[in-house]
């Protein structure tokens, strides 16, 4: 057995979990929780999370109903302690809790993948229709030599399946490489992204989809070709007997893929506009030239407030003397975008007490005097913390502007006494409001700033610390000096999360960037496929109408007129597809609302831009074969040599 020291206490390692196991969140070490008698008396300690497995045959709804009954009994049995916490107990699915807000974006991306696949399949069907039309002469000969309709269908369907399987194999190889890249570059916060890989199930799914696509989109061209009219082909030559019918079918397919491309482009456009707005959000602090890291002081070694104060004071002094550091500070629960959250009930002196369960609560944070100056967070009114705000002196607090608006509307908060529901030796933490600080983004740039109260660290020391250093140069250059400085004070202190504050800001929007890039990539692929579809249809139509174009030019039609006629044919398809796609996008974009920031799901600028882009791409795709048609020599076309 192995013995290790954890939080100043010896532990025996009794088991090793399999790599990648999360129960339910990432952790390196698991220890048993043994409740002390004091903890068992704390009926308001709701910071624990319980995980249980439903009994056989019990549904989540039944478990919720039972928990609701238990919660109401506790609320009635302990009205003073539990009224505000256990009015209703909630039971959630662990799967839902782990997936969080990522399910909906991933489903949207799955839909985008489906759209791209549909567009690709439509393109393949279009190409098969073109190829089938070009092979009508060959099919007639096979039929004349005795090949039955079933045999012709099997041959064409086999060719379609071979094409689908080759494409599926190439796609699976590409997907393996792209998946590895996405896992490497993907943001934190997406559950189990690091475990994503292309396994046997994924390959079987790709095989099944390839076969389904080969059959589904190869069957229609095969059936159409097998119904070739021998007499019609003989009369019309190589142009085939179903020229107009085939052209209409190909045009309809182009309209479909244009519509699907518009839906993807509109979704990507909305996310791009949303991300641009998110990047321009003022976080309320200056992250440049700031390095941050976290510390967890072991309770066994730092068991009382004097030890916590002594270590923190020595740490700040040590870091301030590092080369390049202009200021150092410490906070608990107050690092911007850090994810730490501590909410406590509070009362304001002079106000009548509220009944149990109705108490007001506020987010709290703890900071040393230089903290706000380091982050460039301005003091709006009053004063900030000073070295004189120490243990034994007057208890003071600061609040942000959001707290003023919510809890002190129409009155002056400075000078008010606030007591928190956090007691030490039966004395409440809190103090007199001496300053009002500007708000800053606490959890995410897209979220509103919540009311927050700040206590000076010397009057409310805790074990969990976030340290901030302001540097005159690149903060990453300080990283190599920070670890030795911390170890010189206590070699057992666990230091983690060492990074520039600007990187923390970038990480906070990494998921939005990830979803935007993925959906944008799918939209670009869809646009390219749609352009290829238009090009293919127009190019084939030009080849079919070579003699007609030659006759028109021989009768006096100018090259510009021919050019406009052919481009117009492509533009009609594009406009019809764009109109249908905009209607579909307007409906589909409702599912993106939760991913958008300060952008409406029906944003007219986005839809107009997408429509113009698609029309422009379609015009270019149609222009290339149209220019070739305009250069047709009438005499060669009339002789069938064009």
């Amino acid at each position: 057995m192995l013995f290790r020291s954890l939080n100043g206490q010896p532990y025996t390692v009794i088991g090793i979990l399999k790599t990648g196991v999360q129960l339910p969140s990432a952790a390196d070490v698991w220890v048993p929780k043994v409740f002390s008698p004091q903890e068992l008396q704390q009926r308001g300690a709701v910071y624990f999370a319980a995980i249980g497995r439903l009994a056989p045959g019990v549904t989540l709804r039944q478990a919720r109903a039972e928990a609701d009954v238990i919660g109401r009994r506790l609320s009635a049995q302990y009205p003073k302690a539990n009224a505000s916490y256990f009015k209703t107990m909630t039971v959630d699915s662990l799967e839902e809790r782990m997936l969080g807000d990522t399910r909906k974006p991933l489903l949207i991306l799955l839909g985008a993948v489906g759209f791209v696949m549909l567009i690709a399949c439509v393109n393949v069907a279009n190409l098969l229709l073109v190829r089938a039309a070009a092979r009508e002469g060959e099919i007639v000969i096979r039929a004349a030599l005795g090949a039955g309709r079933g045999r012709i269908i099997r041959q064409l369907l086999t060719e379609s399946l071979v094409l689908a399987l080759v494409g599926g194999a190439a796609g699976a190889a590409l997907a393996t490489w792209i998946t590895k890249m996405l896992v490497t570059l993907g943001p934190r916060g997406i559950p189990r992204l690091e475990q994503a890989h292309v396994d046997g199930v994924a390959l079987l799914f790709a095989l099944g989809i390839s076969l389904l696509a080969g059959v589904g989109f190869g069957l229609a061209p095969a059936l159409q070709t097998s119904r070739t009219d021998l007499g019609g082909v003989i009369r019309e030559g190589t142009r085939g007997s179903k020229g107009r019918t085939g052209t209409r079918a190909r045009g309809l397919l182009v309209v479909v893929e244009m519509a699907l491309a518009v839906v993807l482009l509109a979704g990507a456009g909305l996310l791009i506009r949303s991300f641009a707005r998110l990047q321009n959000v003022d976080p309320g602090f200056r992250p440049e030239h700031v390095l941050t890291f976290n510390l967890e002081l072991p309770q066994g070694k730092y068991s009382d407030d004097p030890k916590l104060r002594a270590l923190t004071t020595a740490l700040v002094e040590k870091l301030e003397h590092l080369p390049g550091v202009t200021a150092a500070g410490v906070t608990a629960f107050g690092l911007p975008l850090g994810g730490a959250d501590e909410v406590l009930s509070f009362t304001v002196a002079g106000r009548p007490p509220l009944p149990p369960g109705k108490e007001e609560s506020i987010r709290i944070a703890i900071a040393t005097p230089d903290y706000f100056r380091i982050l460039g967070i301005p003091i709006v009114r009053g004063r900030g913390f000073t070295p004189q705000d120490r243990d034994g002196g007057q208890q003071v607090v600061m609040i942000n502007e959001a707290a003023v608006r919510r809890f002190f509307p129409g009155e002056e908060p400075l000078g008010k006494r606030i007591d928190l529901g956090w007691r030490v030796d039966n004395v409440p933490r809190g103090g007199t409001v001496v300053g009002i600080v500007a708000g800053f983004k606490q959890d995410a740039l897209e979220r509103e700033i919540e009311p927050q109260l700040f206590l000076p660290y010397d009057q409310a020391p805790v074990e969990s610390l976030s340290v901030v250093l302001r540097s005159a140069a690149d903060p990453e250059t300080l990283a190599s000096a920070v670890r030795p400085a911390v170890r010189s004070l206590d070699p057992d202190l666990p230091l983690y999360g060492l990074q520039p504050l600007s990187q923390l800001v970038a990480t906070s929007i990494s998921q939005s960037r990830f979803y935007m890039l993925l959906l944008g990539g799918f939209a670009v692929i869809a646009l390219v496929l749609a352009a290829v579809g238009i090009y293919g249809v127009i190019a084939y139509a030009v080849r079919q109408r070579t003699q007609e174009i030659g006759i028109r030019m021989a009768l006096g039609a100018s090259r510009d007129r021919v050019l406009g006629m052919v481009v117009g044919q492509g533009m009609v398809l594009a406009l019809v597809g764009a109109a249908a796609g905009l209607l579909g996008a307007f409906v589909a974009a409702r599912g993106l609302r939760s991913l958008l920031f300060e952008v409406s799901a029906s944003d007219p600028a986005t839809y107009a831009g997408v429509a113009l882009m698609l029309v422009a791409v379609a015009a270019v795709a149609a222009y290339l074969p149209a220019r070739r048609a305009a250069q047709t020599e009438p005499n060669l076309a009339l002789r069938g040599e064009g």
Side-chain angles (χ1 to χ4, degrees):
M1 294 186 296
L2 302 176
F3 293 86
R4 293 289 184 267
S5 175
L6 184 65
N7 201 20
Q9 300 294 325
Y11 282 84
T12 302
V13 179
I14 62 172
I16 299 174
L17 292 174
K18 183 180 178 181
T19 301
V21 172
Q22 298 178 344
L23 301 170
S25 58
D28 297 317
V29 178
W30 294 86
V31 297
K33 175 60 185 175
V34 180
F35 291 97
S36 66
Q38 294 79 11
E39 288 176 325
L40 293 175
Q41 296 300 318
Q42 296 176 3
R43 305 208 61 85
V46 295
Y47 44 83
F48 291 104
I51 300 177
R53 184 174 294 279
L54 294 175
V58 177
T59 65
L60 187 61
R61 177 177 295 182
Q62 292 173 322
R64 284 173 174 163
E66 186 176 348
D68 184 68
V69 173
I70 295 172
R72 293 183 185 279
R73 288 177 180 172
L74 288 172
S75 178
Q77 188 175 357
Y78 305 98
K80 185 176 180 180
N82 292 159
S84 60
Y85 298 114
F86 293 110
K87 276 190 172 181
T88 55
M89 292 179 63
T90 58
V91 177
D92 296 323
S93 164
L94 182 59
E95 179 184 8
E96 293 293 336
R97 181 66 63 89
M98 293 177 68
L99 291 177
D101 298 330
T102 60
R103 177 186 290 275
K104 190 172 185 178
L106 294 179
L107 289 176
I108 290 173
L109 292 174
L110 178 62
V113 171
F115 273 31
V116 171
M117 181 179 174
L118 278 176
I119 295 172
C121 289
V122 167
N123 250 351
V124 170
N126 230 332
L127 293 174
L128 290 176
L129 282 171
V130 171
R131 189 165 183 267
R135 297 176 64 186
E136 280 188 336
E138 172 195 339
I139 300 302
V140 167
I141 295 174
R142 289 179 180 273
L145 293 176
R149 185 183 179 195
R151 183 166 185 173
I152 293 174
I153 291 176
R154 287 197 301 272
Q155 177 193 343
L156 297 177
L157 204 53
T158 300
E159 295 175 359
S160 173
L161 286 173
V162 170
L163 183 64
L165 289 175
V166 171
L174 185 61
T176 303
W177 176 76
I178 291 178
T179 301
K180 292 179 180 179
M181 182 182 67
L182 291 178
V183 170
T184 303
L185 302 179
R188 294 181 297 176
I190 298 181
R192 300 187 177 182
L193 178 63
E194 69 282 355
Q195 300 177 25
H197 64 284
V198 178
D199 57 6
V201 176
L203 292 176
L204 286 176
F205 177 77
L207 174 63
I209 288 293
S210 299
L211 292 174
L212 184 63
V215 173
F217 290 89
L219 190 58
L223 289 174
Q224 178 180 329
T225 304
S226 68
R227 291 196 298 265
T228 299
D229 179 13
L230 277 67
V233 173
I234 294 172
R235 289 192 301 270
E236 298 188 19
T238 59
R239 288 177 295 169
S241 60
K242 292 187 276 296
R244 292 184 179 180
T245 303
T247 299
R248 284 196 297 270
R250 289 187 291 274
L252 179 61
L253 291 176
V254 168
V255 168
V256 170
E257 62 181 326
M258 292 293 284
L260 294 175
V262 167
V263 174
L264 286 181
L265 285 170
L270 290 172
L271 288 183
I272 290 172
R273 283 179 59 83
S274 175
F275 184 72
R277 296 281 182 90
L278 196 59
Q279 282 189 307
N280 293 327
V281 169
D282 180 11
F285 59 93
R286 294 188 295 110
E288 301 82 10
H289 300 289
V290 174
L291 184 71
T292 180
F293 62 91
N294 302 312
L295 289 174
E296 193 70 30
L297 307 186
Q299 293 180 354
K301 184 178 296 187
Y302 302 94
S303 55
D304 53 35
D305 289 356
K307 292 179 180 179
L308 292 172
R309 294 188 188 98
L311 186 280
T312 304
T313 301
L315 176 66
V316 171
E317 291 178 354
K318 186 79 172 179
L319 295 175
E320 284 180 335
H321 287 86
L322 291 178
V325 174
T326 57
V330 168
T331 184
F333 320 122
L335 186 67
L337 308 176
D341 185 4
E342 188 73 15
V343 179
L344 296 174
S345 61
F346 73 95
T347 59
V348 179
R351 294 182 181 177
L354 297 173
K358 301 293 185 180
E359 300 96 338
E360 293 178 313
S361 60
I362 191 170
R363 188 170 184 153
I364 72 158
I366 304 167
T368 54
D370 284 339
Y371 179 71
F372 299 108
R373 180 174 63 86
I374 293 171
L375 294 187
I377 302 172
I379 308 298
V380 179
R381 287 173 17 228
R383 69 171 178 87
F385 295 143
T386 67
Q388 286 70 44
D389 297 323
R390 306 185 62 83
D391 180 46
Q394 180 191 12
Q395 287 188 317
V396 297
V397 298
M398 298 173 64
I399 58 176
N400 65 358
E401 293 177 297
V404 175
R405 289 190 296 270
R406 179 178 299 183
F407 302 120
F408 299 94
E411 59 180 311
E412 177 55 66
L414 293 177
K416 300 282 187 179
R417 169 78 191 190
I418 297 179
D419 288 325
L420 299 172
W422 174 16
R423 291 177 175 269
V424 178
D425 297 330
N426 208 31
V427 176
R429 299 285 197 194
T432 303
V433 179
V434 297
I436 299 172
V437 66
F440 59 86
K441 296 292 185 177
Q442 299 136 328
D443 298 312
L445 292 179
E446 65 270 23
R447 293 181 60 177
E448 294 292 331
I449 298 173
E450 297 181 8
Q452 194 164 20
L453 178 144
F454 300 89
L455 301 112
Y457 184 86
D458 204 69
Q459 294 182 357
V462 293
E463 296 88 358
S464 299
L465 307 179
S466 293
V467 183
V468 291
L469 307 175
R470 179 160 288 279
S471 169
D474 185 355
E476 292 189 1
T477 59
L478 297 174
S480 59
V482 165
R483 294 186 185 275
V486 174
R487 282 199 298 267
S488 68
L489 296 175
D490 186 343
D492 295 328
L493 285 182
L495 183 154
Y496 61 99
L498 182 63
Q499 62 184 326
L501 189 56
S502 56
Q503 183 176 331
L504 197 62
V505 175
T507 301
S508 70
I509 60 175
S510 60
Q511 277 200 33
S512 297
R513 181 190 296 110
F514 186 69
Y515 297 141
M516 178 199 68
L517 291 176
L518 281 182
L519 191 57
F522 293 141
V524 169
I525 294 172
L527 183 63
V528 171
L529 290 175
V532 170
I534 286 185
Y535 173 84
V537 167
I538 300 302
Y540 182 74
V542 167
R543 190 168 70 86
Q544 291 290 88
R545 299 172 64 186
T546 299
Q547 290 187 345
E548 174 195 337
I549 292 172
I551 293 173
R552 288 177 180 272
M553 297 183 71
L555 294 176
S558 65
R559 296 184 184 276
D560 291 340
R561 186 176 182 86
V562 172
L563 185 69
M565 177 187 69
V566 178
V567 171
Q569 180 183 356
M571 296 308 296
V572 167
L573 298 176
L575 290 174
V576 173
L582 288 175
L583 291 176
F586 184 78
V587 175
R590 295 179 180 180
L592 290 174
R593 285 176 178 172
S594 61
L595 303 181
L596 301 179
F597 176 72
E598 294 186 352
V599 175
S600 170
S602 56
D603 181 53
T606 301
Y607 288 102
V610 166
L612 290 175
M613 178 189 299
L614 196 70
V615 169
V617 170
V620 173
Y623 173 77
L624 296 177
R627 186 180 63 176
R628 185 163 60 249
Q631 295 173 348
T632 301
E633 292 294 337
N635 58 335
L636 295 179
L638 291 174
R639 292 201 301 266
E641 300 175 7

